[in-house]
Amino acid sequence: MTDEPRLLYLEPDEEITSVVRRLRETDATWVVLVVPGRSRATASAVGLRLLASFAAEAGRDLALVADASTRALAAEAGIAVFATVADVSAGTV
């Protein structure tokens, strides 16, 4: 496993099951999901909690780059959030 963040770009119509599969396939310990404005996989607090739970069970640190409303939901689910991909590199939350 690597220490560098792995950026996974989500499609707007991507389902949680697809995101979980992609998380399983990565060898990174830190995964950052780059979420488009309206994404099915991250549209609900329940979905985000499921993603956070899976990531924790798999031993991965999960973060999101997303719009403000998705960041708010993700923060409630205990997922680290960033406003831009550049913020990930800078470590700015």
Side-chain angles (χ1 to χ4, degrees), residues 8 11 17 26 32-33 39 41 50 54 72 86:
L8 296 180
E11 296 295 327
T17 54
T26 186
V32 179
L33 303 178
S39 171
L50 288 171
F54 173 79

Side-chain angles (χ1 to χ4, degrees), residues 8-9 18 21 26-27 40 43 48 72 74 81 85-86 88:
L8 296 180
Y9 289 83
S18 173
R21 179 186 47 77
T26 186
D27 61 351
R40 284 186 185 177
L48 288 165
V81 295
V85 171
V88 174

Side-chain angles (χ1 to χ4, degrees), residues 8-26 31 33 39-42 47 50-51 54 62:
L8 296 180
Y9 289 83
L10 303 187
E11 296 295 327
D13 61 347
E14 197 162 0
E15 299 286 342
I16 289 176
T17 54
S18 173
V19 178
V20 167
R21 179 186 47 77
R22 292 174 67 190
L23 285 171
R24 278 190 187 127
E25 292 173 351
T26 186
V31 179
L33 303 178
S39 171
R40 284 186 185 177
T42 60
L50 288 171
L51 289 174
F54 173 79
L62 183 64

